């Protein structure tokens, strides 16, 4: 016989454990797109306490839909070794292009993240950073429906040694940080530069170059890195996002270990 109240209690206990274990993190990553998921998985595999916050119901960001809803993505040779870590099947084409099924790829990234120990919170929107002693030291989170409905409900705070904006095109968190604090970022003008139009070749390079610590303990990856630093967009080619995630992992690991 099934006991409904037991079902509820099990869900509440399990969720609250995840939430409580995430109040003091090594790395807090905002956005469960490809760059955020790669960085989070690699950090968790090294034993760091990592959480990823995703405002939507389904993690995965912009990878599910391929190009214009044709659910295939293109990845260039340089990024294949990253995809291989996630056991994604690839089809090789001439001139060093590879394609893979975007649903297989996205679900593999999500599955690996959770399997590696990443605490993945979907339906949670990050609305602000915690800012103390001139550095970023955490995140302010709320339920996505609360934010959508404009309900006057206060958020809660989590602390983290490093924080990363992996929110994709809007680079929402970095934008909010600059607006609220007026701090100078590691960008050409010191401010929020804004994304440039389409140029796949440049955009792919820039998304990796722009992956960095743009303020104390505050990193950016993927499209958010190009949004903040003024890089081009690149359409449905995902090698740059995967390489950005791996670079972000290396940078955050070094920062956490240095203390
Ligand atoms: C919680 C949030 C919040 C918030 C947003 O866009 P993404 O897939 O991110 P990337 O940078 O890893 O990948 C970009 C890629 O998908 C893409 O868009 C490309 C290659 N475009 C090229 C082009 O020319 O168009 O994922 C970001 C995730 C999303 O799932 C958002 O829902 C989530 O972040 N998010 N989560 N709190 N405040 N804001």
């Amino acid at each position: 016989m099934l006991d409904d109240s037991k079902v509820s209690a099990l869900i509440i206990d399990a969720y609250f454990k995840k939430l409580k274990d995430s109040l003091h993190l090594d790395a807090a990553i905002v956005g469960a797109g490809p760059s955020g998921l790669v960085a989070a998985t690699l950090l968790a595999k090294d034993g760091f306490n990592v959480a990823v916050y995703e405002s939507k119901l389904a993690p995965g960001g912009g990878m599910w839909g391929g190009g214009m809803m044709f659910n295939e993505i293109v990845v260039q040779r340089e990024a294949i070794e990253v995809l291989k870590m996630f056991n994604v099947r690839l089809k090789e084409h001439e001139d060093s292009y590879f394609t893979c099924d975007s649903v297989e790829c996205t679900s593999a990234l999500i599955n690996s993240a959770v399997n590696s120990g990443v605490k993945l919170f979907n339906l949670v929107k990050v609305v602000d950073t915690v800012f103390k002693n001139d550095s970023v030291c955490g995140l302010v989170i709320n339920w996505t429906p609360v934010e959508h409905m404009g309900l006057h409900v206060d958020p809660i705070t989590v602390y983290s040694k490093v924080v990363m904006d992996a929110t994709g095109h809007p680079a929402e968190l970095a934008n909010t940080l600059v607006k609220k604090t007026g701090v100078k970022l590691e960008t050409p003008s010191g401010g929020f530069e804004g994304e440039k139009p389409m140029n796949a070749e440049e955009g792919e390079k820039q998304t990796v170059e722009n992956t960095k610590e743009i303020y104390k303990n505050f990193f950016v990856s993927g499209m958010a890195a190009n949004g903040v630093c003024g890089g081009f967009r690149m359409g449905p080619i995902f090698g740059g996002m995967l390489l950005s995630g791996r670079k972000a992992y290396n940078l955050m690991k070094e920062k956490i270990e240095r203390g």
Side-chain angles (χ1 to χ4, degrees):
M1 198 183 80
L2 271 177
D3 177 349
D4 289 333
S5 65
K6 179 86 181 155
V7 172
S8 307
L10 286 171
I11 288 173
I12 292 167
D13 287 347
Y15 190 86
F16 276 28
K17 176 162 175 24
K18 267 193 292 203
L19 197 57
K20 259 194 132 171
D21 288 349
S22 305
L23 292 178
H24 292 275
L25 294 160
D26 292 316
I29 295 175
V30 189
S35 67
L37 287 172
V38 168
T41 303
L42 298 179
L43 282 168
K45 279 191 172 167
D46 284 352
F48 293 109
N49 188 15
V50 186
V52 175
Y53 302 93
E54 170 53 53
S55 58
K56 297 207 170 114
L57 175 59
M63 209 183 218
W64 294 106
M68 218 179 123
M69 299 204 290
F70 305 144
N71 63 1
E72 290 281 329
I73 55 168
V74 172
V75 178
Q76 60 277 51
R77 182 174 295 282
E78 300 91 287
I80 289 311
E81 56 180 301
V82 182
L83 260 196
K84 286 198 169 147
M85 292 193 259
F86 294 88
N87 296 319
V88 176
R89 290 171 306 160
L90 295 155
K91 222 180 255 156
E92 187 166 1
H93 305 269
E94 56 192 26
D95 297 330
S96 292
Y97 288 102
F98 292 77
T99 52
C100 59
D101 183 303
S102 65
V103 174
E104 178 179 344
C105 189
T106 312
S107 49
L109 295 187
I110 298 167
N111 187 257
S112 297
V114 177
N115 265 336
S116 307
V118 172
K119 290 183 270 302
L120 182 42
F121 295 98
N122 57 337
L123 290 169
V124 173
K125 190 168 170 80
V126 175
V127 292
D128 214 337
T129 50
V130 184
F131 191 79
K132 286 187 188 175
N133 305 320
D134 284 329
S135 63
V136 173
C137 54
L139 293 175
V140 179
I141 63 172
N142 211 335
W143 303 115
T144 302
V146 165
E147 294 296 318
H148 271 232
M149 292 172 75
L151 302 178
H152 192 163
V153 177
D154 275 335
I156 62 168
T157 298
V158 297
Y159 280 82
S160 187
K161 292 176 186 161
V162 295
V163 161
M164 185 161 80
D165 183 339
T167 61
H169 293 270
E172 224 173 275
L173 209 60
N175 211 345
T176 305
L177 177 69
V178 175
K179 280 192 186 137
K180 286 199 168 186
T181 63
V183 294
K184 212 164 166 329
L185 304 178
E186 282 297 320
T187 62
S189 72
F192 188 93
E193 308 291 347
E195 185 186 296
K196 291 206 177 79
M198 184 75 87
N199 180 335
E201 183 148 14
E202 285 302 307
E204 279 293 277
K205 269 189 271 160
Q206 289 169 337
T207 198
V208 183
E209 282 161 17
N210 292 332
T211 297
K212 58 182 168 186
E213 185 176 9
I214 52 158
Y215 194 69
K216 282 172 241 166
N217 306 330
F218 188 84
F219 294 74
V220 282
S221 70
M223 277 318 297
N226 277 1
V228 179
C229 299
F232 285 95
R233 68 187 303 183
M234 69 298 287
I237 180 156
F238 279 81
M241 299 304 133
L242 304 169
L243 293 169
S244 163
R246 188 177 63 182
K247 180 177 175 188
Y249 150 70
N250 283 313
L251 295 174
M252 288 192 285
K253 177 180 159 84
E254 196 201 331
K255 182 79 195 228
I256 299 165
E257 287 174 343
R258 229 185 316 132

